Amino acid sequence: MEGQKVFGYIRVSTREQNMDRQRIALEETGIPPERIYMDRQSGKDFDRPQYMEMLKQLEQGSVLYVKSIDRLGRNYSDLTEQWRIITKEKGTDIVVLDMPLLDTRSNKDLLGTFISDIVLTLLSYVAENERANIRQRQAEGIAAARRRGIHFGRPSKPLPDNFASVYQAWKAGAIHTGEAAAQCGMPRSTFCYKAKRYEEK
C-alpha cells in the first residue's frame, strides 16, 4: 500500500450497534484509522454523511476497502451506480474483503471486468431482494397479528368519566364541539375521533 491512498468504509444499521467486526477487518489491511469512514444508517440509499465525505476524498489510483458488499449499500440500482462512480469517474479501485472476485485491482482485462460486473450485479440484486422479502414478511406478520386482535402503537387512553354525558349533550346539539372537547379535557380533533369510535361501538 506504500505510496497509495487507501480508504475504508463501514456501515451498520440503526438496529445494529457493533462496528468492531468491520473496523478490525479494515485495520488489519493497514488502513489508517483517520481514513476509515463510518455511518450508522440504513443501506437503502447513499444519502449518508460519512459516505459522501469519503467520496470527496477518493481519487485516481486510490483504493476503497469494504468488509462486504451489503455494507456499501443494498439498493440494486443505487449500488451499481455508486460502483460506476467510484471505479470509472473517480478512478478508485474497490476491494470487497468477503468476496475476492470483487477486487478491481486484479484482472483489469475485459474478461476480469466482465466477471466482476456480473458478480456485483448478482450480489446487489440478492441484497435488494432480501430487503424486499424482509419487508413483505414484516407486513404479513403485522397483518396476521392484527387478525388475532393484537394492536400496535400506544394504547388508547381511557375515556374520561364524563364522556358519555358530554357526548349525549353534544350529539343533541346542546353544546358545540369546542365546548364538548374542553369539558373532556382533549383537543377538538381528539374529541371528534373519540366520538366517532364511541358511535361505532
Side-chain angles (χ1 to χ4, degrees):
M1 292 187 186
E2 190 173 345
Q4 191 177 49
K5 268 195 176 182
V6 291
F7 299 86
Y9 181 70
I10 294 171
R11 183 190 64 77
V12 294
S13 71
T14 54
R15 295 182 303 276
E16 185 179 340
Q17 298 301 315
N18 198 337
M19 293 183 171
D20 289 347
R21 185 175 62 88
Q22 295 177 67
R23 181 181 52 78
I24 291 170
L26 294 178
E27 287 180 350
E28 285 177 347
T29 66
I31 304 170
E34 65 273 14
R35 289 202 194 135
I36 296 178
Y37 293 80
M38 308 180 193
D39 277 311
R40 192 180 298 277
Q41 201 166 332
S42 165
K44 65 179 181 179
D45 58 44
F46 283 84
D47 187 18
R48 311 175 211 140
Q50 287 297 298
Y51 178 82
M52 299 308 293
E53 181 59 33
M54 178 201 68
L55 201 60
K56 295 176 186 175
Q57 306 304 319
L58 299 180
E59 59 187 31
Q60 184 76 32
S62 57
V63 182
L64 170 63
Y65 287 80
V66 293
K67 181 73 167 68
S68 57
I69 192 64
D70 65 338
R71 298 302 87 197
L72 191 59
R74 290 181 179 273
N75 180 291
Y76 168 67
S77 57
D78 286 351
L79 179 56
T80 51
E81 173 63 10
Q82 289 299 313
W83 186 279
R84 184 194 65 78
I85 290 171
I86 293 170
T87 58
K88 302 297 192 290
E89 293 184 11
K90 294 285 187 177
T92 294
D93 280 311
I94 300 178
V95 178
V96 180
L97 296 176
D98 286 353
M99 182 60 62
L101 281 173
L102 289 177
D103 182 345
T104 62
R105 297 171 305 175
S106 58
N107 300 320
K108 285 186 175 289
D109 58 7
L110 186 61
L111 178 59
T113 302
F114 178 66
I115 292 172
S116 179
D117 286 348
I118 287 177
V119 173
L120 170 66
T121 300
L122 177 61
L123 291 178
S124 54
Y125 170 78
V126 168
E128 182 170 356
N129 195 50
E130 177 59 20
R131 282 183 66 242
N133 288 337
I134 289 171
R135 288 196 300 269
Q136 182 177 347
R137 288 195 295 268
Q138 287 173 338
E140 289 171 351
I142 291 170
R146 283 179 173 156
R147 284 195 296 272
R148 294 195 304 271
I150 298 173
H151 299 286
F152 296 89
R154 293 180 181 177
S156 298
K157 289 183 179 179
L159 294 174
D161 293 339
N162 66 337
F163 185 84
S165 58
V166 172
Y167 168 79
Q168 294 298 338
W170 170 76
K171 191 71 174 174
I175 56 175
H176 56 73
T177 305
E179 185 179 351
Q183 288 186 30
C184 291
M186 58 182 65
R188 288 170 57 101
S189 58
T190 303
F191 176 81
C192 291
Y193 171 76
K194 297 287 187 182
K196 184 179 180 183
R197 296 295 301 271
Y198 187 77
E199 288 175 3
E200 290 172 354
K201 290 180 180 179

